Amino acid sequence: MYTDTDRCVRAVQSKDARFDGWFFTAVRTTGIYCRPSCPAVPPKVENMTFLPSAAACQQAGFRACKRCRPDTSPGSPEWNARADAVARAMRLIQDGVVDREGVPGLAARLGYSTRQVERQLNAELGAGPLALARAQRAQTARLLIETSELPMGDVAFAAGFSSIRTFNETVREVFALAPGELRLRAEKANRHVPRVPGTISLRLPYRAPLNPDNLFGHLAATAVPGVEEWRAGAYRRTLRLPYGTGVVALSPGPDHIGCQLALTDLRDLTIAISRCRWMLDLDADPEAVDEQLRADPLLAPLVDKAPGRRVPRTVDAAEFAVRAVLGQQVSTAAARTHAARLVASYGEPVADPDPEGGLTHLFPSPQALAALDPESLALPASRRTTLTTLVGALADGSLPLGIDSDWEAARARLNALPGFGPWTTEVIAMRALGDPDAFLPSDLGVRRAARELGLPSTPAALTARAAGWRPWRAYAVQYLWATDAHPINHLPV
């Protein structure tokens, strides 16, 4: 995108917010970089240069614009739509892997040498993994400075900086303000906004349009008691994070998702935000998705009626895989009941920061579930075998599932497990691994919707027809599901 100068110039001159996160505009005469939708008067064309990432801008010596705050742009939709090494690397960097394991750890997860990873990221993003992680640390620092009352030393280490001096230098370099000045500006701007003690409140941006009905409806309707709940207009759940635990409350707004986080260790802030964005599919490009699906005349009315549907995902791929098995050939209510029993028996207790909340546990880890007695499960014998085999593979690492998974390799490993058919594998690929082209032609709801719309209703024929929806078949599933009156399709009251 950033190499198409004419297209970038048009986006900047029209202040088109659809391109926020796709590229950044660096202005040579002022030394600042902006998002395409910056409200300031556009610079002269000859003074613009376009770069693919905030890290590339910072590495080139540009500072973030104080008006449009480009560091808060939605992430590039490319990283969610692609499965190559660069996309997988970006998803891992966003999840804090470089801060926790260094560049060698990132390279090991990808199966490449550190030199190959550096070369590929520099070629496509204009910055290596350390620079990309540094830009993310700067954004985290800004969030903590502006949304908390933590001392600056605590902010520095929570954001991932190794020293206060590095923290101060980075904040000054990136934002052209000292940390104290950033906090003072934020206090003046938000002096009428109440703060909830012990929580961090922020806004999660997204590309419009966003239809919250199926997104929050699905999460609320399938919520596991004790781990998830819908209360007071927000989806709340517990989080298992690298350094501790957390509780998040997410509520849909007209131009953002409200997010309240309570964390036992603030070093998890960046990771928690990244996982929440991933779960809500906030970095998607709805314009591109809906344009492709509208090309099918039978899908077009569904898209026009409620554009901007997202794919509801998960914060923990292993958790979702277990829940997918529990949901095989049973109702949503039965699947919730089975999951709640596992949570009560094997989940790790947590304290809900809201005294009126109902969150009590983390969903059990694969290691905890490896100790379960199959005879205690109120499931058919074949389902017990499927579940225990899955849990064993997750616990011993022979089945790695996560945001960095190679989608086709993960499908092959899942299909090799007993009791895994196309539906289970594809729903995990869709909601746990994030493959935007995952497809469920055998799903009862999809087949019923297809029949009502005049689409082919047999799996083979529907798959052939859906070739025209690629690479966005997972989004087509959301539109097909939305024809039903099931609670997953409606925003809870």
Side-chain angles (χ1 to χ4, degrees), residues 317-318 320-322 324-325 328 386 389-391 393-394 398-402 405-435 438:
F320 185 82
V322 170
V325 170
Q328 287 177 335
T386 300
T389 305
L390 169 67
V391 167
L394 291 170
S398 60
L399 177 63
L401 294 179
S405 293
D406 179 293
W407 297 331
E408 295 311 315
R411 280 183 170 92
R413 292 191 183 97
L414 289 168
N415 285 326
L417 298 177
F420 270 74
W423 183 90
T424 309
T425 297
E426 287 300 304
V427 80
I428 291 172
M430 176 191 296
R431 296 195 56 202
L433 306 183
D435 184 352

Side-chain angles (χ1 to χ4, degrees), residues 122-134:
N122 271 298
E124 188 156 345
L125 288 153
L130 288 176
L132 291 162
R134 175 181 180 269

Side-chain angles (χ1 to χ4, degrees), residues 229-236 249-252 260 354 356-357 492-493:
E229 68 175 359
W230 177 267
R231 197 175 67 77
Y235 166 75
R236 305 178 73 241
L250 299 161
S251 53
Q260 283 200 337
D354 187 335
E356 298 181 3
V493 178

Side-chain angles (χ1 to χ4, degrees), residues 81 292 435-438 466-475:
Q292 178 77 12
D435 184 352
D437 203 38
W469 305 342
R470 306 191 76 165
W472 309 118
R473 293 184 299 176
Y475 294 87

Side-chain angles (χ1 to χ4, degrees), residues 2 52-53 79 85-90 93 98 103 106 110 114-130 132:
Y2 76 99
S53 65
W79 315 136
V86 171
R88 291 166 58 207
M90 285 303 297
I93 291 169
V98 171
V103 178
L106 173 67
L110 296 171
T114 55
R115 177 179 290 184
Q116 286 174 307
V117 173
E118 292 269 5
R119 179 179 55 80
Q120 291 186 53
L121 289 174
N122 271 298
E124 188 156 345
L125 288 153
L130 288 176
L132 291 162

